[in-house]
Amino acid sequence: MATLVTRVLPFDAVAGLGGRRGHVLVERSYMVYRRTWVIVLSGFFEPLFYLLSIGVGLGKLVPHITYAGDDIRYTAFVAPALLASSAMNGAIYDSTFNVFWKIKYARIYDAVLATPLGPLDVAIGEIAWALLRGVFYSSAFLVGMAAMGLLISWGVLASLPFS
């Protein structure tokens, strides 16, 4: 991913500004979650189960919603909100409890800060990984929505970069 120079030299010598090696922490998180992929996969199923229970189960009791002359099923009405919550939950889980665990119990940041990485690198790397995890969850949920036929408009794809 990065050259050997950017991994070895202190960030002041390479960039002068710092915060240029957050991708190393993203790479570390990827290497860790390669072995524990079930944890990441479980984050996809949570909003899908909500969609099936609330959308399909409760959707039988709620009549179709009429908007601009079109009838919209309750499941299709609830699905975009669950898409947003899946993206939010993916980022929140990774940036709250996992960061706490890395600070308090695993002491990962003590080891990381003993390398040429600085606090800005750690912050950028952790934020980038949390955002990538959120985008993964929302993308996977969007595929699930498409498989269930809940995409009323393909304009929902425009929401993907913002999730």
Side-chain angles (χ1 to χ4, degrees):
M1 281 187 130
T3 64
L4 183 62
V5 174
T6 59
R7 289 185 181 206
V8 175
L9 292 177
F11 65 88
D12 288 333
V14 175
L17 299 174
R20 300 294 176 129
R21 285 186 271 162
H23 65 279
V24 176
L25 230 51
V26 172
E27 182 181 2
R28 182 208 171 273
S29 295
Y30 170 73
M31 299 290 271
V32 168
Y33 282 110
R34 233 180 14 168
R35 303 267 188 245
T36 57
W37 56 269
V38 176
I39 294 171
V40 176
L41 190 65
S42 68
F44 161 70
F45 286 110
E46 181 184 355
L48 186 66
F49 290 150
Y50 276 127
L51 181 64
L52 291 175
S53 65
I54 293 174
V56 176
L58 190 62
K60 300 285 185 201
L61 303 174
V62 177
H64 291 310
I65 299 164
T66 304
Y67 178 73
D70 294 328
D71 278 343
I72 302 171
R73 295 183 317 195
Y74 182 71
T75 309
F77 178 74
V78 171
L82 290 173
L83 171 71
S85 72
S86 71
M88 179 193 68
N89 285 341
I92 290 292
Y93 291 157
D94 207 81
S95 61
T96 53
F97 185 73
N98 286 347
V99 169
F100 171 73
W101 180 265
K102 290 175 185 178
I103 290 172
K104 180 80 174 164
Y105 298 109
R107 303 183 73 76
I108 297 293
Y109 299 131
D110 291 343
V112 166
L113 291 174
T115 67
L117 294 171
L120 188 59
D121 295 318
V122 171
I124 289 172
E126 288 296 331
I127 291 169
W129 178 254
L131 291 175
L132 284 173
R133 192 167 168 180
V135 167
F136 169 73
Y137 285 162
S138 60
S139 302
F141 188 75
L142 192 62
V143 169
M145 282 175 56
M148 293 176 69
L150 298 176
L151 295 181
I152 297 172
S153 167
W154 287 102
V156 75
L157 292 176
S159 70
L160 196 58
F162 301 105
S163 59

